[in-house]
Every structure is written in C-alpha cells, then in structure tokens.
Amino acid sequence: MCFSGDAGTVESDTTKDDLKEKIMSNHLPVHRKLARSTRDKWIGGVAGGLAETYGWDPTLLRIAFVASLLLPIPGSQILIYLIAWAVIPQRNDGF
C-alpha cells in the first residue's frame, strides 16, 4: 500500500482488474473435461460431473432436474439423463 501525498488516501498496489481476476478465478471449473463424477454422485454421477466441470452447484442441478419432471412432457428428462449416463465417461483421476 502507498499513501498519496495531497489527500491522504490509501491506494492499493492491486488494481480493480487484478481484484476482478482474483474473484473470477474462484469461479473457474475444477475440471475442464466433461466426465461423470465418482465423488459427488447419487445415481450415475451426471449432475456431479456437470457441476465439477462447469463450477455449478450440484444440488441446484438436481433440484432443476426434479422440477423439470413437472413440465408437460415428463419422462424425456429421464431419457436424456440415461443417454448422458451412457455417453459421458466416468472420471478416473480420483475426483
């Protein structure tokens, strides 16, 4: 930190861009490659894998999935989940 001479204000060595970058870095995905989670899974690890890949909350994904079952065409979500379970590989790096 440094003090400016005339107004007596404190200026930080970090700029607003540096702070924004630090804040945004906390929201980066943990894993960049989409894979089903082996650590955070209830059924097949699809919601946990999406959450780990994109930095989302897995609980919110699960709530959204269950809420989507109330839409006019229930059942298609289950088919999509089963396809995702079959297509998305399981994470094998211990996460």
Side-chain angles (χ1 to χ4, degrees), residues 30-41 44-46 48-53 89-95:
V30 176
H31 301 284
R32 297 187 195 279
K33 184 177 178 185
L34 180 59
R36 289 183 291 123
S37 178
T38 56
R39 174 176 61 155
D40 185 14
K41 69 183 216 175
V46 175
L50 285 169
E52 289 174 0
T53 301
Q90 187 168 6
R91 192 173 313 282
N92 59 7
D93 59 0
F95 287 99

Side-chain angles (χ1 to χ4, degrees), residues 2-11:
C2 62
F3 295 94
S4 65
D6 44 57
T9 59
V10 177
E11 296 176 8

Side-chain angles (χ1 to χ4, degrees), residues 41-83:
K41 69 183 216 175
W42 285 11
I43 299 173
V46 175
L50 285 169
E52 289 174 0
T53 301
Y54 297 108
W56 299 337
D57 183 4
T59 304
L60 291 178
L61 283 176
R62 292 178 181 118
I63 290 171
F65 177 77
V66 171
S68 74
L69 293 174
L70 302 174
L71 292 174
I73 308 172
S76 62
Q77 297 87 339
I78 295 172
L79 181 62
I80 291 169
Y81 186 89
L82 291 174
I83 291 170

